[in-house]
Amino acid sequence: MSEPVVQFEGVSKSFGPTQVLKDVSFTIGELISTAVIGPNGGGKTTLLRLMLGLIEPDHGDIRIFGESPRDASKRVGYVPQAIRFDPLFPISVREIVLMGRLDRLPFGFFKTACKNAAVAALAKVGLEDCIEKPFADLSGGQRQRVLIARALACDPDLLLLDEPTANIDLTVEAQLLETLEELKKQLTIVMVSHDLGLVDRITKTVLCVRKTVHRHDVEELDGELVAEIFSGEKRKLHEQKALHSQGDHTHCKHD
């Protein structure tokens, strides 16, 4: 049996007096696409930051490809919601994508292999014809696809996406969906999203995050379960059901 791509064991994380994640354990296997869902402030972004090695857990252990997140960082691509940039700054699409190869830049100049990787990454998202355009001239959806290309330029085995469809229109979302459907055949994807329609198309598994983390099959995401995940009144019920399914009956009222 192959080693999990992502493995959390008993992970907890607090910021000051606020505990964001508590005793989180789960695994994600190779070439498995997983969506991370949950209410705002539930810990979704913290989960990604831990996978990236940007922050350390207070307790527990995290393994990415069997290594610490920092040691495995070259095998991980990350797509943020957006990047802040000065629209007057003259940076091209090529230069944005090449940022994904900065760790391969020992002497200040990108080698031919890096430039070829940038072209190939843009081709994967259908934007190779935009390589010389100013980044500021692109639409919001095109910029998002360029950010995916930047993540792909490092030839990752794991791709992390934070709300990839935020602030883009339906036409662009459809194009992005086609891109992700192709990418999931090639690498492991973990995607934070509130777009349950996108989740249904891309993934078979969801991780529900609200301080704790529970796994569900995407087929389970009916209206009642979604209400339990996102509704303040029903979250406790969802927590109890999830613990019960995992064999923890401390909160159950069995006869």
Side-chain angles (χ1 to χ4, degrees), residues 8-212:
F8 276 53
E9 293 186 356
V11 172
S12 297
K13 180 64 181 177
S14 297
F15 296 99
T18 303
Q19 187 171 46
V20 180
L21 295 173
K22 178 183 178 182
D23 196 24
V24 169
S25 297
F26 66 89
T27 61
I28 298 174
E30 186 178 8
L31 295 181
I32 300 298
S33 296
T34 303
V36 179
I37 66 173
N40 289 334
K44 301 186 299 296
T45 297
T46 298
L47 203 69
L48 286 190
R49 292 176 68 194
L50 286 165
M51 291 183 197
L52 289 164
L54 298 177
I55 55 177
E56 297 286 339
D58 299 328
H59 304 285
D61 185 56
I62 302 171
R63 299 280 107 182
I64 306 295
F65 299 106
E67 302 180 297
S68 71
R70 289 185 179 179
D71 289 340
S73 61
K74 288 187 177 182
R75 299 182 67 182
V76 181
Y78 172 58
V79 183
Q81 286 190 32
I83 59 172
R84 295 182 180 180
F85 72 101
D86 184 348
L88 298 178
F89 186 75
I91 189 168
S92 70
V93 168
R94 182 195 298 273
E95 290 166 325
I96 289 285
V97 177
L98 281 171
M99 289 179 182
R101 305 280 298 192
L102 286 175
D103 63 331
R104 325 281 173 94
L105 190 64
F107 303 112
F109 297 96
F110 286 109
K111 295 183 178 180
T112 300
C114 290
K115 295 176 181 178
N116 291 341
V119 174
L122 282 168
K124 287 181 179 179
V125 299
L127 289 178
E128 61 269 35
D129 292 340
C130 297
I131 192 167
E132 301 299 343
K133 288 185 177 181
F135 186 67
D137 288 355
L138 301 185
S139 67
Q142 288 175 319
R143 290 177 188 172
Q144 191 71 349
R145 286 155 69 195
V146 169
L147 295 183
I148 293 177
R150 182 183 66 172
L152 295 176
C154 70
D155 298 321
D157 297 305
L158 170 64
L159 182 64
L160 307 179
L161 303 102
D162 191 359
E163 296 283 3
T165 59
N167 304 316
I168 61 176
D169 61 37
L170 291 177
T171 301
V172 174
E173 182 176 315
Q175 295 171 342
L176 183 62
L177 181 61
E178 291 179 5
T179 299
L180 293 177
E181 286 183 322
E182 286 301 312
L183 290 176
K184 72 177 185 179
K185 302 173 186 177
Q186 307 166 29
L187 41 77
T188 303
I189 294 177
V190 178
M191 175 182 65
V192 171
S193 182
H194 283 98
D195 186 342
L196 297 182
L198 179 68
V199 167
D200 184 55
R201 291 283 299 275
I202 297 299
T203 72
K204 295 181 179 179
T205 304
V206 294
L207 296 178
C208 170
V209 183
R210 182 182 174 268
K211 187 180 289 188
T212 56

